[in-house]
Amino acid sequence: MSGTVRGISEDMDRQIIQAVFDEDTMSSTSVGMSDLSDEILLCILRHVPVCDLVRNVTNVCHKLHTLCHDKTLLTKVSLSDEYQADDLLVRQILKQLANHVQSLSLNGCYWLAGSTMELLARCRGVTHLDVTGCRLTSLRLSRLLSSLSLLRSLAFDVTPGFNSAQLSSEAVDSLSRLSELRQTLLTPSYGVVPCCAQLRKLMLQFDISDVTREGIGVCCQLMMGQSSVPHYQQLEEFTARLAPGEVNQTLLLLYLAVFSVHVPKRLRVFLVSIPGPNPAHWPAAPSLAQSLGQRGDLEALQLPRSWLDSLSLKRALEGNSPKHLSFSRCPALWPQVFQSLLEGGVKDATQLTSLNLSGINKVLYSECRSVEDQLVPVTMSRLAVGCSNIKQLNLMHTHYHHETSPGGETHLCASLAKLTHLRSLTLPACALSDGLNTHQITTNNTPPSPLFLGLKKTPRLGIQNFKPDSESSLSGDSISGLTLLLDGCPFLETLEIIGPGFVSALPRLEPCTRASVEPRGMCAWARGVGDAHLAALEALPRLRRLTLAGLPGVLRGTGLVQLTRQCKDLQVLSLANMGLLKTMNYTPALLDTLKQCTQLRELRLEQPYLNASAAFFEALSCCSRLQRLCLISRSGTFDPSAAETFMERCHHVIMCHMFMGGTLVACRTLQKALLDRFSIDRSALSVVIYPLQHEDLPSVIRDIPLTLLDRITLFQSHVAQPPHLSPL
């Protein structure tokens, strides 16, 4: 029996024994899982991965063998993130489930062979199929679709070489009956959209590079000649997420060309996310917004900032009760957003569950911001009362500077504490500060001596241009505001705290993000957020995902140790640019932190001078359930033998990405050693070890499976799209 199943069984046995314990007679009755009713056992088995059901649980006893084949467990199957499932096991599962499964997800199973994909044709009762990230050619897709006549929902990748002309007539017939489609476009193409006349839900992800590996520019002119273009007659939901690049934006406008002529009457969800400060202009956006507001059933809206003005936004929201709204990097819409939400511009603001206000401040870089350029606690308090059911809130790239004067304003955190249903929160670091103390003000405002001005070096890009306060001053920092937030929102599961000026060193998104981020160290309030604030996060027992980036006030990292001591179920941890950048002062605390993260599945660590030593990998080995590891360090070093020992101990690790310093030879030697030794037993293993500053790094990153690449390049990926609209 696998560790997952054994753990569930032991936990259930302990709880049952405790429940029947009689304190008066001091007697107890031992009840095992086999004594439970079939209904209770089925509820338990629904939480067991299908691989364990088929391979382990079914062999325990006759009763469990029968229950494991219950149709309620086999109709909806997901093999996503089942990294131990090799081709042989997946083929075995598909053979056993062929007559039962109706919804099947192989999302992100990039390691499976194309011949395994062909076995999906046996699952003729499938109505929902997700093969995103899998090896699927046009011919294989054609054979698959020809066998799945009941298919209503499909997700797949449009890869280079895709040719819709190779689809058989039976495959086209199956596509004509689809109501949901998600395409990840890795090459300019309409994919199968022209064949899908009955689509009600279309989700697109554009991830096309502007140049090929040979350095040849990519264009979309070949698409102009296609006679069949999308019409979206029945479309209700349209979602598009773009990676950086002009080709992606040009291709999006081709997909949207029909909207300029005719807006689908049933359209109620329209989400378009374009990175970078200058998204391509789309003249039809105002008319689209007006059309969305006419029916009164708008559920979700997200448009690039150049597509929408205040009047169009007002018309789109008026009389509607949206569930998700995103106004990322839309400072011009600041007044209208709050007017619509707070002054009757929407029909029912309590329906709103997801709100993205990232970068909605009018002024980005000025230290002397006025009140209207910052988040106002009174306004946010009204927002919390009016939109009381918000579960996801993103306030990244905004500012709040609390003043500690007597009788001053209510802290922003006190206003946010009214959002009692909050589960996911992204905050700027300065929002946690209780204000500047006297020492900080003196340090920041006292001009340097002329003697030292002549000796001062010109600051380099990425190196902090200020000196943090001494530890003694930080130790007395008040966390009363943060405490109010934690008391009001104790059920937070995802928390991101991003300091101003943070830009990841990975090149995939760096050019577009750097243009919209202010210089590091600009905000004095953010510099006061340190270890005491991190330690206070121990009050979040349900915390599962934590991101801390660009926090120069974290000196020793002792708050991390206290935090992880209490947050036992932390599964995803992302740390970047903490404390000083020229050295890494919190290494001892980091090692103690890792030793306590026994449930950790994913670790992303970015620091300019990271030393992945034997002690580091020894501590990391305590994370026995770790699956994905990403280390990013421009001048970092690593111990090859320690890395190999770590991989041997943590046999669940299938992603080991290290973008460090060192020579290309040293990186390739370790990469080859890890692949040669562990890829046989871990078919999903992805090992990429490469110098961060090497000129060929962009090409190397392009070879990483997209399902893994999104995890290591985007801190805010999980709040960029509304969870309730996640495809399939």
Side-chain angles (χ1 to χ4, degrees), residues 51-71:
C51 293
D52 282 321
L53 286 178
V54 174
R55 184 171 53 180
N56 300 312
V57 182
T58 187
N59 298 321
V60 173
C61 63
H62 177 73
K63 182 175 183 178
L64 288 179
H65 176 81
T66 302
L67 292 177
C68 284
H69 291 82
D70 189 274
K71 63 179 181 180

Side-chain angles (χ1 to χ4, degrees), residues 334 357-367 369-377 380 395-402 412 427-432 498-501 517-519 521-526:
W334 171 278
L357 299 177
S358 172
I360 203 170
N361 280 115
K362 288 184 178 180
V363 180
L364 287 177
Y365 302 152
S366 172
E367 183 70 39
R369 297 177 176 88
S370 58
V371 174
E372 60 268 18
D373 296 329
Q374 301 177 33
L375 296 175
V376 181
M380 296 303 296
L395 297 176
M396 187 177 65
H397 297 320
T398 60
H399 277 273
Y400 169 69
H401 296 166
H402 185 72
L412 174 66
L427 283 177
C430 58
L432 304 183
I498 315 294
V517 176
E518 63 184 89
M522 176 67 75
C523 179
W525 276 259

Side-chain angles (χ1 to χ4, degrees), residues 190-494:
Y190 280 128
V192 299
V193 173
C195 304
C196 306
Q198 303 298 320
L199 277 185
R200 290 190 294 178
K201 187 175 183 179
L202 176 60
M203 293 146 287
L204 303 171
Q205 181 170 347
F206 300 82
D207 206 287
I208 308 167
S209 177
D210 285 342
V211 294
T212 63
R213 299 183 183 278
E214 295 75 21
I216 303 175
V218 178
C219 65
C220 301
Q221 292 181 354
L222 294 177
M223 294 185 56
M224 299 297 188
Q226 296 187 11
S227 57
S228 298
V229 295
H231 294 289
Y232 313 133
Q233 296 293 337
Q234 309 296 325
L235 199 64
E236 299 178 7
E237 302 182 16
F238 180 89
T239 303
R241 174 186 169 191
L242 279 66
E246 294 183 3
V247 172
N248 293 317
Q249 297 194 40
T250 302
L251 184 56
L252 171 65
L253 295 181
L254 290 175
Y255 270 86
L256 294 176
V258 177
F259 284 88
S260 302
V261 180
H262 172 72
V263 177
K265 295 182 179 180
R266 301 180 181 178
L267 192 66
R268 52 188 173 82
V269 172
F270 193 86
L271 302 169
V272 174
S273 175
I274 301 179
N278 299 308
H281 182 62
W282 187 43
S287 61
L288 170 69
Q290 182 175 359
S291 178
L292 289 173
Q294 291 178 349
R295 289 178 50 86
D297 58 354
L298 177 67
E299 287 190 11
L301 179 64
Q302 177 178 357
L303 294 177
R305 63 177 181 178
S306 63
W307 289 17
L308 203 59
D309 54 35
S310 297
L311 180 59
S312 300
L313 175 62
K314 179 181 179 181
R315 293 175 177 174
L317 297 181
E318 197 168 15
N320 285 281
S321 303
K323 297 179 180 178
H324 169 79
L325 293 174
S326 177
F327 305 106
S328 177
R329 302 189 305 276
C330 297
L333 301 180
W334 171 278
Q336 186 59 53
V337 168
F338 288 99
Q339 181 179 351
S340 296
L341 292 177
L342 303 179
E343 299 180 7
V346 297
K347 183 178 180 180
D348 184 4
T350 62
Q351 296 296 316
L352 190 65
T353 60
S354 177
L355 180 61
N356 186 348
L357 299 177
S358 172
I360 203 170
N361 280 115
K362 288 184 178 180
V363 180
L364 287 177
Y365 302 152
S366 172
E367 183 70 39
C368 302
R369 297 177 176 88
S370 58
V371 174
E372 60 268 18
D373 296 329
Q374 301 177 33
L375 296 175
V376 181
V378 175
T379 304
M380 296 303 296
S381 180
R382 293 178 58 198
L383 181 70
V385 174
C387 308
S388 55
N389 292 317
I390 289 181
K391 295 181 179 180
Q392 293 88 27
L393 179 62
N394 189 340
L395 297 176
M396 187 177 65
H397 297 320
T398 60
H399 277 273
Y400 169 69
H401 296 166
H402 185 72
E403 300 293 344
T404 56
S405 58
E409 64 180 9
T410 302
H411 199 287
L412 174 66
C413 289
S415 300
L416 297 179
K418 298 178 181 179
L419 295 170
T420 56
H421 297 283
L422 208 58
R423 297 296 181 269
S424 175
L425 177 62
T426 300
L427 283 177
C430 58
L432 304 183
S433 175
D434 283 351
L436 296 178
N437 58 40
T438 305
H439 177 79
Q440 286 176 309
I441 297 175
T442 304
T443 302
N444 294 330
N445 294 340
T446 302
S449 169
L451 175 62
F452 292 103
L453 286 176
L455 300 176
K456 185 178 180 181
K457 292 182 179 180
T458 303
R460 294 180 297 167
L461 186 65
I463 303 299
Q464 67 180 53
N465 55 5
F466 66 94
K467 291 183 179 295
D469 294 316
S470 64
E471 183 182 359
S472 59
S473 65
L474 287 177
S475 62
D477 282 350
S478 171
I479 58 170
S480 58
L482 176 58
T483 302
L484 293 173
L485 173 63
L486 300 179
D487 290 341
C489 305
F491 304 116
L492 276 175
E493 299 175 359
T494 299

Side-chain angles (χ1 to χ4, degrees), residues 10-78:
E10 293 175 353
D11 290 343
M12 288 296 299
D13 285 344
R14 279 197 302 269
Q15 294 178 20
I16 294 172
I17 292 174
Q18 182 65 31
V20 301
F21 186 74
D22 189 347
E23 295 184 354
D24 296 331
T25 62
M26 297 300 293
S27 63
S28 62
T29 303
S30 179
V31 179
M33 288 189 65
S34 58
D35 299 310
L36 300 177
S37 66
D38 290 352
E39 291 77 10
I40 295 179
L41 286 175
L42 285 174
C43 290
I44 298 174
L45 294 177
R46 289 193 186 100
H47 298 279
V48 179
V50 66
C51 293
D52 282 321
L53 286 178
V54 174
R55 184 171 53 180
N56 300 312
V57 182
T58 187
N59 298 321
V60 173
C61 63
H62 177 73
K63 182 175 183 178
L64 288 179
H65 176 81
T66 302
L67 292 177
C68 284
H69 291 82
D70 189 274
K71 63 179 181 180
T72 61
L73 300 178
L74 305 180
T75 54
K76 186 175 182 180
V77 175
S78 175

